[in-house]
Amino acid sequence: MPRSTMRERTVAFYEIVASVNGTLHRVAQMPWPDMLSALARTELSGRTWETDSIYVGSVATYDDVDHLLLHKVKDAGDWLSVLNWRTGEFHELESRADQGYLETTVMAFLSFGNVVGLMQGSTSAPTHKSLEIWLNGLKLFPDTSLAVRPLMTRAETERLRTADGASKVEIRLAGNAISALGDRQGRLARALRLAGTEYGDIKVTIIISVPRGGGRSEDRRRLLADLRDIEEVMPEAADRARATLVYAESSGPEYTRLVEFVEHHITAKRYISAVDETGSSVKILSAVHAILDVALQHEEELRRAADVT
């Protein structure tokens, strides 16, 4: 019997930048809606680019917003078969000259930072590099050579120096990186080192949250001190390190800011449904909704990473 139509897939974010003599630099927001609108009216030949693989672009529109479907045509030499789950019979899919089998990636362009969210329909579906090849090959922006690179969070350890406290900390270290803590004696360093000593070569994740309330200001200051103790270690040794820092200004109320201490590619996992209750395909719509949902939840992080205020 077929397995569930729900699949966990990754939403990953990338930024599209200009490439000038091998140097990459950011540019003003490009007219992605105009590009997609024009693409929707373009004949198949104008949406197809062939290199080692054949890539075809098409447009899916939901809620009056266009999104890109980038397809890769499967090699005609691939052996493909279809199985009937009810009878157990299968038959081979024969390639025909006027047909091609596609692997698809859903791509949603955000309204800032030339950021695009991707969800692959399979592990061999088009990647961000496929998008780069396709955009440049078709010269959709003829005056600009484009590059597509992972959108990375920025390590912002310098923000520790102006903070007044920390209300939440999350740190993950692999066992072989714990030695980088050296003889630091802050509470976080000691807790991480103890876990490594007791459990050996493991990954250790510590999450500490100080409840809200004016009576916990000293606890937040102490947690900040623990972070400053391992400030120089986090960017290189930690797999993940982030904190909600508290800032107090004489001219206004306290405010918080989520700060990353380790660069990492911004991604998220989501379960995607392939069909609805009537059996109709909704996988593309589900993917679009998932990308936009993740983008909304992580908008602040995405904007910081793309250097957009």
Side-chain angles (χ1 to χ4, degrees):
M1 292 295 293
R3 291 183 291 177
S4 167
T5 59
M6 294 290 288
R7 294 285 188 274
E8 186 180 55
R9 299 195 185 279
T10 299
V11 177
F13 292 94
Y14 300 84
E15 62 175 336
I16 301 173
V17 297
S19 176
V20 179
N21 297 323
T23 300
L24 304 183
H25 62 89
R26 290 173 169 143
V27 294
Q29 180 73 359
M30 302 179 75
W32 303 111
D34 294 344
M35 183 271 285
L36 292 171
S37 179
L39 191 73
R41 302 188 301 271
T42 302
E43 295 293 330
L44 178 62
S45 59
R47 297 182 278 114
T48 303
W49 184 254
E50 182 173 357
T51 54
D52 294 337
S53 298
I54 301 174
Y55 297 108
V56 182
S58 63
V59 176
T61 304
Y62 297 107
D63 297 328
D64 296 324
V65 178
D66 292 332
H67 307 283
L68 176 65
L69 306 182
L70 188 58
H71 315 279
K72 182 173 73 173
V73 181
K74 291 189 70 67
D75 193 295
D78 289 349
W79 292 6
L80 303 175
S81 301
V82 174
L83 173 65
N84 185 317
W85 289 102
R86 183 174 57 82
T87 65
E89 297 178 348
F90 72 91
H91 66 271
E92 294 183 8
L93 284 176
E94 299 292 343
S95 295
R96 293 171 48 181
D98 61 345
Q99 292 183 339
Y101 297 107
L102 306 177
E103 294 183 286
T104 301
T105 295
V106 179
M107 305 185 178
F109 295 90
L110 305 189
S111 61
F112 58 86
N114 294 308
V115 175
V116 58
L118 272 64
M119 179 180 288
Q120 291 178 280
S122 65
T123 55
S124 54
T127 65
H128 67 290
K129 284 300 180 184
S130 306
L131 174 61
E132 178 180 303
I133 291 169
W134 180 79
L135 287 170
N136 288 321
L138 292 179
K139 299 187 183 303
L140 295 178
F141 295 92
D143 297 328
T144 308
S145 177
L146 299 173
V148 185
R149 64 185 182 186
L151 186 60
M152 307 291 290
T153 60
R154 293 188 301 170
E156 298 179 300
T157 53
E158 72 278 0
R159 295 193 179 277
L160 287 169
R161 300 178 194 124
T162 56
D164 295 280
S167 60
K168 186 175 181 179
V169 171
E170 178 183 352
I171 298 178
R172 182 172 68 237
L173 264 72
N176 57 8
I178 290 177
S179 61
L181 295 169
D183 59 356
R184 289 173 172 80
Q185 293 301 308
R187 291 176 301 170
L188 279 173
R190 295 202 311 270
L192 290 164
R193 192 163 50 241
L194 177 61
T197 300
E198 294 294 330
Y199 293 99
D201 188 12
I202 59 169
K203 284 192 174 182
V204 180
T205 300
I206 290 181
I207 300 176
I208 299 173
S209 181
V210 179
R212 292 178 178 272
R216 306 302 297 270
S217 297
E218 179 59 27
D219 293 327
R220 289 190 283 269
R221 282 193 290 269
R222 292 185 66 199
L223 187 55
L224 175 63
D226 294 330
L227 273 172
R228 288 171 172 166
D229 178 56
I230 59 174
E231 172 183 350
E232 296 178 359
V233 174
M234 289 188 291
E236 299 298 329
D239 291 336
R240 186 176 185 84
R242 64 196 312 187
T244 302
L245 300 183
V246 180
Y247 296 86
E249 295 182 354
S250 57
S251 59
E254 284 187 347
Y255 66 94
T256 61
R257 179 177 182 135
L258 177 64
V259 176
E260 300 280 351
F261 304 121
V262 177
E263 286 191 359
H264 65 269
H265 186 194
I266 302 175
T267 64
K269 299 284 189 180
R270 286 294 185 273
Y271 279 95
I272 301 300
S273 179
V275 297
D276 62 15
E277 60 274 6
T278 68
S280 301
S281 175
V282 293
K283 55 182 178 290
I284 302 301
L285 176 60
S286 296
V288 168
H289 283 170
I291 295 170
L292 298 180
D293 177 60
V294 173
L296 182 61
Q297 292 182 22
H298 294 265
E299 182 173 349
E300 180 184 354
E301 182 180 15
L302 291 168
R303 285 182 176 274
R304 284 205 312 271
D307 201 21
V308 177
T309 55

